[in-house]
């Protein structure tokens, strides 16, 4: 009988890696089944995997397989988590800590981007996620700086500071389209925007109806939408050289805040689900228990259509209520609408996020997430749909994409900083 030779752990891993490398078809099939965030990490394993995952054949097959994947979305908390550990000098990274809905994902970065401090003046912005579009996130950092980052690769780009300086993060939004993006601020007489095509801020004149307040900004179909939850939506194409503004009235819902207009954010939500604009409303005075309604903007008619209306009393009578114990004495707060399934909505109650199916009138899931609770005036988590190939989405302007990945984004985003000389101290030759 032959005694097998002992194999060390290192030899075993080399044998396993060599076996996968020699069977390209198996390797490709394994890589095709991975979610986008895992694929981004495995590109760093070796040159072979990097070449395989960036070839045109693989990208086409991966995009076809994952375009309609219903799990390719996540809930993003607006709060930024800061890693206080010392970080070496180099490019600043902002990475996604992903969780499956209804759990809330979050962004983790170093204190070099977002320091732990209190607001020193009224104009200071606390670090937060501002907006999301097509695999890119707009967030605020130190000293009212704004960054565009790819949370799947960690790449970040520091936006140059415009004049006058940006003051209100709630009026800013980002929209990605065809490999480029625009960060825009809607003003009374112009649209101030930063384009990744030319890498600079510019002002485009337009006629804008006066808003009483701006509650939220989101993107869809290459358009940016500014929402006043009291009256309507302003939509604009920031990529256009001469943009125009389209105003959309909100449906005549009956729900109204009981303690002031600052509570609209608790009772109403506007977003995109299954490719349509949706309006989600909670009316705490409707009937004995209150109700929630979902409206969708019709494609042909251009009018709001009431898709679902559910009384909270119907939820309490369902068997699923006993499993999750939604408080009958407390009307929930509006969360958001599932971006891929319009009859699936989220509400917040007792610092928990409840997933409710409006079609079946059942509570599907619940997560006890402490950061799901919101104070008056704050915003709910952001529904983020993952593009088929998120690792190819670049936060850098077109003119900087070749060299920016090897440099510090802070230096790339500011042209006023002096460049260090490439000359070093010459070593003395030995004699």
């Amino acid at each position: 009988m032959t005694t097998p030779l002992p194999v060390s752990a290192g030899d075993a891993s080399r044998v396993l890696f060599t076996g996968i490398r020699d069977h390209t078809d198996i390797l490709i099939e394994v890589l095709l089944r991975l979610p986008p965030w895992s694929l981004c990490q495995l590109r760093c394993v070796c040159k072979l995997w990097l070449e395989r995952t960036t070839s045109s054949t693989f990208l086409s097959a991966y995009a076809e397989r994952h375009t309609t994947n219903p799990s390719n979305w996540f809930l993003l908390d607006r709060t930024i988590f800061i890693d206080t550990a010392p970080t070496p000098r180099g490019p600043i990274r902002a990475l996604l800590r992903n969780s499956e809905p209804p759990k809330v994902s979050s962004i983790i970065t170093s204190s070099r981007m977002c320091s732990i401090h209190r607001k020193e003046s009224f104009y200071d912005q606390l670090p937060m996620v501002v907006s999301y579009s097509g695999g890119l996130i707009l967030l605020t950092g130190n000293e009212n700086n704004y960054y565009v980052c790819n949370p799947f690769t960690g790449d970040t780009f520091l936006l140059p500071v415009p004049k006058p300086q940006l003051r209100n993060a709630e009026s800013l939004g980002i929209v990605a389209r065809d490999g480029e993006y625009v960060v825009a601020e809607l003003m009374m007489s112009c649209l101030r925007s930063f384009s990744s095509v030319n890498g600079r801020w510019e002002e485009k004149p337009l006629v804008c109806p006066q808003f009483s307040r701006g509650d939220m900004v989101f993107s869809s179909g290459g358009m940016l939408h500014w929402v006043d939850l009291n009256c309507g939506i302003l939509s604009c194409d920031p990529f256009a050289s001469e943009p125009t503004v389209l105003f959309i009235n909100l449906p005549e819902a009956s729900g109204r805040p009981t303690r002031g207009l600052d509570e609209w954010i608790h009772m109403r939500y506007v977003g995109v689900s299954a490719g349509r604009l949706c309006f989600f409303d909670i009316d705490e005075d409707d009937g004995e228990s209150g109700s929630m309604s979902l409206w969708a903007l019709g494609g042909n008619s251009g009018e709001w259509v009431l898709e679902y209306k559910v009384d909270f009393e119907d939820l309490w009578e369902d068997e699923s209520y006993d499993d999750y114990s939604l408080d009958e004495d407390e009307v929930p707060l509006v969360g958001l609408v599932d971006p891929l399934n319009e009859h699936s909505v989220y509400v917040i109650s007792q610092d928990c996020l409840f997933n409710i199916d409006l079609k079946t009138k059942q509570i599907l899931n619940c997560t006890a997430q402490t950061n799901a609770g919101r104070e008056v005036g704050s915003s709910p988590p952001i529904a983020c749909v993952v593009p088929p190939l998120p690792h190819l989405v670049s936060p850098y302007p077109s003119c900087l994409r070749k060299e920016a990945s090897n440099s510090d984004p802070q230096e790339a985003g500011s042209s006023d900083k002096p460049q260090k000389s490439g000359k070093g101290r010459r070593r003395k030759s030995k004699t």
Side-chain angles (χ1 to χ4, degrees), residues 67-70 72-73 218-221 269-279 294-299 307-308 336-345 359 383-385:
T67 298
T68 58
N69 189 341
N72 282 353
W73 77 282
F218 66 95
S219 67
S220 69
Y269 171 85
V270 178
V272 179
S273 180
R276 299 197 297 173
L277 284 178
C278 292
F279 173 65
L294 181 73
W295 304 69
L297 194 65
E307 299 287 347
Y308 303 97
L336 66 154
V337 181
D338 189 314
L340 304 179
N341 187 352
E342 63 183 23
H343 60 78
S344 176
V345 299
K359 182 183 293 186
C384 304
V385 178

Side-chain angles (χ1 to χ4, degrees), residues 149-192:
C149 77
N150 182 328
F152 307 99
T153 62
D155 295 335
T156 61
F157 172 72
L158 172 63
L159 292 176
V161 179
K163 295 181 180 181
Q165 189 176 0
L166 300 172
R167 294 298 189 186
N168 186 10
E170 294 181 354
S171 65
L172 283 172
I174 185 172
V175 54
R177 187 173 73 189
D178 299 331
E180 303 294 343
Y181 68 86
V182 170
V183 176
E185 179 184 23
L186 187 62
M187 307 178 75
M188 293 305 302
S189 60
C190 68
L191 181 73
R192 185 162 60 162

Side-chain angles (χ1 to χ4, degrees), residues 338-407:
D338 189 314
L340 304 179
N341 187 352
E342 63 183 23
H343 60 78
S344 176
V345 299
Y346 292 82
V347 299
I348 297 174
S349 179
Q350 299 176 338
D351 291 338
C352 294
L353 200 60
F354 291 85
N355 182 201
I356 298 175
D357 190 326
L358 297 179
K359 182 183 293 186
T360 61
K361 301 180 181 180
Q362 292 181 330
I363 301 176
L364 302 179
N365 210 331
C366 170
T367 177
Q369 196 89 16
T370 55
N371 57 353
R374 297 183 280 131
E375 297 178 354
V376 173
S378 63
S379 300
I382 304 175
C384 304
V385 178
V386 183
L389 302 169
H391 57 283
L392 298 184
V393 182
S394 174
Y396 305 110
S398 301
C399 58
L400 298 177
R401 286 178 184 173
K402 292 183 179 180
E403 68 268 18
S405 58
N406 298 321
S407 64

Side-chain angles (χ1 to χ4, degrees), residues 44 107 128 134 186 359:
C44 304
I107 296 295
M128 61 174 291
L186 187 62
K359 182 183 293 186

Side-chain angles (χ1 to χ4, degrees), residues 311-322 328 361:
D311 294 332
F312 285 108
E313 187 175 358
D314 295 336
L315 290 176
W316 298 335
E317 294 176 354
D318 189 79
E319 295 180 356
S320 60
Y321 167 77
D322 296 330
E328 297 183 12
K361 301 180 181 180

Side-chain angles (χ1 to χ4, degrees), residues 238-293:
F239 290 94
S241 56
E242 297 180 357
T244 57
V245 175
L246 173 66
F247 180 74
I248 305 173
N249 282 303
L250 292 179
E252 297 180 359
S254 57
R256 295 191 61 85
T258 58
R259 289 178 291 177
L261 292 178
D262 286 340
E263 291 191 25
W264 279 123
I265 197 76
H266 289 314
M267 303 181 63
R268 292 181 169 184
Y269 171 85
V270 178
V272 179
S273 180
R276 299 197 297 173
L277 284 178
C278 292
F279 173 65
F280 181 32
D281 171 71
I282 288 183
D283 183 4
E284 58 183 4
D285 297 324
D286 185 15
E288 297 182 358
S289 59
S291 66
M292 51 185 169
S293 306

